[in-house]
Each structure stands twice: as structure tokens, then as C-alpha cells.
Amino acid sequence: MSGGRWKRGALLTGCSLLAAGTDAARAAGTRAGTVIVNTATATYDDPTGDPRTVPSNVVELRVDELLDVAVSGPAADRTANAGAPNQVTSFIVTNAGNGAEAVRLSVEAALGGDDFNPTNVRIYLDSDKDGLFDANVDQLYTVGANDPLLTPDGQQRVFVVADMPAGTDGARAQIRLTGQAATGTGAPGDSFAGRGEGGGDAVVGSTGADADDDAFYALSAAVVDFEKTATVKDPFNGSEAVPGAVITYSLKASVSGSGTLRNFRITDVIPTDTKYEAGSVTLNGAKLTDAAGDDAGTAGASGIAVQVGDVSAGASNTVTFQVVID
Amino acid sequence: MTRLFFTFLAVASPAAAWAADAVSLTSTVLVERQKLDAQGRPTVALEEPQVVVPGDKLVFHLNYRNAGATPAQDFTVTNPIPASVSFTAGDGAIVSVDGGTSWGRLAALKVKGADGQPRAALPTDVTHVRWTLASPIPAGGGGQLSFRGIVK
């Protein structure tokens, strides 16, 4: 007998036993290896009327490890330019069991029913847990070498990075990330004797200890053409670049091809030896404030940024701002 | 000093203590398992717990027996609910929701809610169960008490 075994303990001797295991309540349930200890006490009066107290035996029950994994992918398509390398999608892998468990990851890109297959598909772990992919910081994942070890309810963000082939606008590719408990997977209720955390068994939970979720890449064939011009107006109504002259920069972004660019953003830095002219940013002729949060524009001594939004092919947007030469 | 000495004796030689106590109390625990019978219908079976995971339903049995020659009067059994078990039901028991200080039927008890106001106690609030037998246990008599819980 192994795992949640029980013991018909000897008489309660008033010591130890109570300290076994922890009782922290978690979403994932009692931590694997915790020992549930039960004793009862009876009291009665003997024939002479004296009260007597009798303890029961001690029953001990060890909680086994439940193996459960959850994987959650992005809700929306990841728009990627046709032919672009290193396009990133992200997933969250959760240990839904009650013991520390390493999770084995795999990604499948050659699924049927979609329009194309991304190539050079890799998995990275969000090692610095900042939610952003950085190839210099985040670890490339290799099965069995750096399986993320997750505590109960623990999560790991995982990036799938892939190269896009050439293709038509709107073509979609499906990829699937799978997470499996390293101890084992199977039908709910299957158990692995003695393999659970804390010395008990490991038991496959309702997820089969095997979960996956899908993400989609959607190709965009839209192409951006950027044009930056500058006009100078000096204090003497001329166009000499002298101290005190105002330079108006114009940034025109034209989208051609087909499809839509999502979350399009135009940024620029303030050139050295110039100062930003407060309140001078415009988008398509309309003034924007410098403050963040109130409209599409933000600006300051270091640079300007305008959040244009989704831009379809055929549209163009022009941002202007002014600086004064020191 | 004498008292301490006797306590030590009781621990060191439990057999001697049992001899003095005519009544014995034995605790066992079983786990509920959903099974399919020969016709494929779901049935519930009670089994010795080989494997226990959070969410499993447990049934605790307390068997009492009076091996003495005389009846045992005012027989009461108290069982604290183990920390990792959430109480669900106890046949004929009164319960405590405050660590054994006050007792009553669950429906009559209140606890302080998250907002600081008293609310009706729930089974998950129960910390102890207790049974008091209405009549003495006759010599040679015995019986069984039980309560149920879920592994948190």
C-alpha cells in the first residue's frame, strides 16, 4: 500500500503527530504530502460517577499529488508581416495540481485546416517574468533540459517564436502549445505509485495532466512608407537654421499593399541642440496635447509619440511637431 | 510532582490506562468512490483510502464499545475536524464553529462574516463535532458515530 495510506496508530500519546504537513488552503487544494490526522475523544462517567476521558486511535491519511496542467493562449490573432522572422505569440502555462511539478512543453505548427505553416518555430520561457519577449534574456526551451518547475497554482509565461513565410494578406496559421506534467499523463484517476510530492502517489486529475491551447498568426501584406520633411523658419522670417529658428518636422506614414496594420504608432526623437516646442504636436492637422492618456499624443524633451491605431492599406497619416534651435 | 509522575506512567504504559477505561473508541476513515455497477449505473462505494487527493469525500467512523461490567453514563464523543478537511455533515451531531468554545446545531450558529457582521454558519466553518448519547451505554454495548468531510 502506498500513497494516501492509513495507519491504525497506537494510542494517542499526546505528542508530535499534530505537526505533520501544512494546512494552507489553496485554489489547487491541500498541498501534496500533507498528512491529515484525526483523533476523537470520548468522555463518560464510570459507575462511581467519576468522569473518564478516552482518546481514540490516531488515523493518518497522506494527501497524494494531483497532476493537473492548464494552458491558455491569446484570444486574438497575432498579426505578422508576410516574410517577417521572429514573430512572437505568448501562452500561460499553469500548474493546477497540488504539488510542485515540472511541465514539459511542445509546440505544433503543422496543423491542418489553416492556410500556412510558420517555420523555425521555437519556445522561449519568459525568464525575467516581464511579459515581454527578449531573445537576450528569455531562455530558449529544450524538452527535458529546462522544463519549468511550477509550484501549485504557479504560472509560467511561454513565448512561441516563429518565422512567417511569404503569403497573402489575411492568411492564417494555427499553432498549438501543449503542456504535460513531467511525472506522467493519462486518464483521470491513473496513478503513479510513489511518484507524488511528499512521498505519496501522483494521480492524474481531470485535465489528464495534459493541456493545450491554440494561437493564430494572421499575415498582413500591408507595407509602410515613411517620409520625413523639415521646414525652418528663422526669427527674421527667413529660413536660416540659426539659434532661435523653429523647425517644423512632418512625418507622413503611408500604408500600401493590402490589409491593415494594427496599433500603428509614430514616434520620433528631439534632435540634439534643439528644444521641443511645447504643445506643437498635430495628427492630420489636429492639435494634440503633450500629456499622456488624454489623447493619441504624448510629447516631452526626449521625443514625441502618436498612437494612430489601426491603419488600412491606402490610408496615410501625418504627424507634425516643432523644435527650436538652441 | 505526584501528578506528573502518574501522567508519565499513563503515557509509558498505555495498556495500564486501557485497563482502567472500560470504554474504547476507535476511529477509521473511508473514502467515497464513484463506481459503475454491473449494469453500468453509477454507484457510490466506500473504500479504504489508498490514494487521496483534494476534493475526495471522506467518511470518518467512530466505533465505541463498553467492555466493562457496568453501564457508562453521559457518554460524549468530541472530534476536532482535521485542518485539511472541510466538514460537510455529521449525523446527529452538534458542532462548534469557534474552536470548541460554544456548541449547537449548525443552523443555530453564527460566525463573523467578511464584512464584520454576523452571518449564518456554514458547514465549512465547523471546527469540531460532538455527540452526546441520550442513554447510557450498557455493559457489553457499543455503536458507531460518523461524520463526513472533503479534502481541501
Side-chain angles (χ1 to χ4, degrees):
Chain A
M1 188 187 295
S2 64
R5 72 203 55 175
W6 63 346
K7 244 188 248 172
R8 285 174 201 274
L11 289 174
L12 179 70
T13 49
C15 59
S16 72
L17 292 173
L18 299 171
T22 58
D23 58 20
R26 309 176 143 273
T30 302
R31 184 80 184 240
T34 302
V35 178
I36 296 173
V37 180
N38 192 61
T39 26
T41 306
T43 60
Y44 64 100
D45 292 342
D46 72 10
T48 64
D50 285 341
R52 287 192 166 276
T53 301
V54 184
S56 76
N57 58 313
V58 178
V59 174
E60 289 185 0
L61 203 54
R62 179 163 55 203
V63 177
D64 294 292
E65 182 180 347
L66 200 54
L67 301 172
D68 268 319
V69 175
V71 174
S72 164
D77 285 10
R78 168 72 165 88
T79 305
N81 283 339
N86 302 327
Q87 298 298 295
V88 180
T89 58
S90 95
F91 292 82
I92 298 283
V93 178
T94 306
N95 175 6
N98 66 338
E101 185 67 28
V103 180
R104 192 164 293 161
L105 304 171
S106 60
V107 64
E108 200 178 351
L111 300 167
D114 57 359
D115 304 320
F116 70 95
N117 292 328
T119 56
N120 191 21
V121 183
R122 292 141 286 158
I123 299 174
Y124 283 86
L125 305 175
D126 184 16
S127 307
D128 57 350
K129 301 191 189 305
D130 66 349
L132 300 170
F133 175 63
D134 180 347
N136 297 318
V137 176
D138 296 326
Q139 231 176 38
L140 180 66
Y141 171 77
T142 311
V143 178
N146 55 348
D147 296 337
L149 180 65
L150 302 181
T151 55
D153 291 327
Q155 297 191 322
Q156 172 72 54
R157 184 181 289 275
V158 169
F159 300 111
V160 172
V161 181
D163 298 348
M164 299 298 116
T168 55
D169 192 75
R172 293 174 88 219
Q174 185 176 13
I175 59 162
R176 178 168 300 158
L177 184 81
T178 301
Q180 297 177 316
T183 299
T185 62
D190 286 359
S191 68
F192 301 95
R195 302 266 310 274
E197 183 186 59
D201 294 353
V203 186
V204 176
S206 57
T207 60
D210 182 346
D212 59 59
D213 201 11
D214 293 345
F216 286 88
Y217 286 105
L219 285 189
S220 166
V223 177
V224 187
D225 187 39
F226 234 129
E227 191 187 357
K228 181 172 179 177
T229 54
T231 51
V232 180
K233 193 178 172 192
D234 65 36
F236 320 104
N237 281 329
S239 56
E240 293 298 320
V242 294
V246 175
I247 308 174
T248 302
Y249 287 107
S250 172
L251 306 165
K252 184 179 181 188
S254 309
V255 178
S256 59
S258 58
T260 300
L261 291 177
R262 309 240 172 251
N263 292 320
F264 191 69
R265 189 174 139 97
I266 297 172
T267 61
D268 203 355
V269 295
I270 307 301
T272 49
D273 297 328
T274 70
K275 274 198 186 63
Y276 170 68
E277 178 80 356
S280 65
V281 177
T282 69
L283 171 61
N284 301 325
K287 268 202 171 302
L288 299 177
T289 67
D290 295 345
D294 58 347
D295 59 25
T298 52
S302 59
I304 64 113
V306 177
Q307 193 73 42
V308 181
D310 295 349
V311 182
S312 355
S316 67
N317 289 277
T318 303
V319 167
T320 67
F321 68 98
Q322 294 176 331
V323 298
V324 180
I325 298 174
D326 291 343
Chain B
M1 208 51 220
T2 316
R3 190 192 182 105
L4 273 176
F5 179 65
F6 275 115
T7 307
F8 172 72
L9 256 191
V11 170
S13 51
W18 275 117
D21 289 313
V23 177
S24 64
L25 185 64
T26 310
S27 168
T28 58
V29 62
L30 297 173
V31 63
E32 260 187 34
R33 296 275 181 234
Q34 294 276 353
K35 300 256 165 182
L36 296 180
D37 66 12
Q39 280 75 43
R41 290 171 302 203
T43 57
V44 174
L46 286 180
E47 294 180 351
E48 285 202 8
Q50 305 284 341
V51 171
V52 173
V53 292
D56 276 349
K57 294 176 181 170
L58 304 177
V59 181
F60 293 87
H61 287 306
L62 297 165
N63 291 294
Y64 57 90
R65 177 142 203 94
N66 180 5
T70 54
Q73 309 277 352
D74 296 329
F75 184 73
T76 297
V77 174
T78 305
N79 197 139
I81 306 298
S84 298
V85 173
S86 184
F87 173 83
T88 51
D91 300 334
I94 57 169
V95 299
S96 173
V97 292
D98 57 7
T101 305
S102 55
W103 297 85
R105 292 266 159 213
L106 183 60
L109 297 176
K110 299 236 184 280
V111 294
K112 195 190 258 187
D115 58 358
Q117 297 301 308
R119 63 162 171 83
L122 299 170
T124 50
D125 297 320
V126 171
T127 61
H128 292 67
V129 281
R130 173 175 284 177
W131 297 262
T132 302
L133 297 195
S135 48
I137 315 171
Q144 186 179 65
L145 307 165
S146 70
F147 69 95
R148 289 166 175 271
I150 294 179
V151 181
K152 285 183 194 168

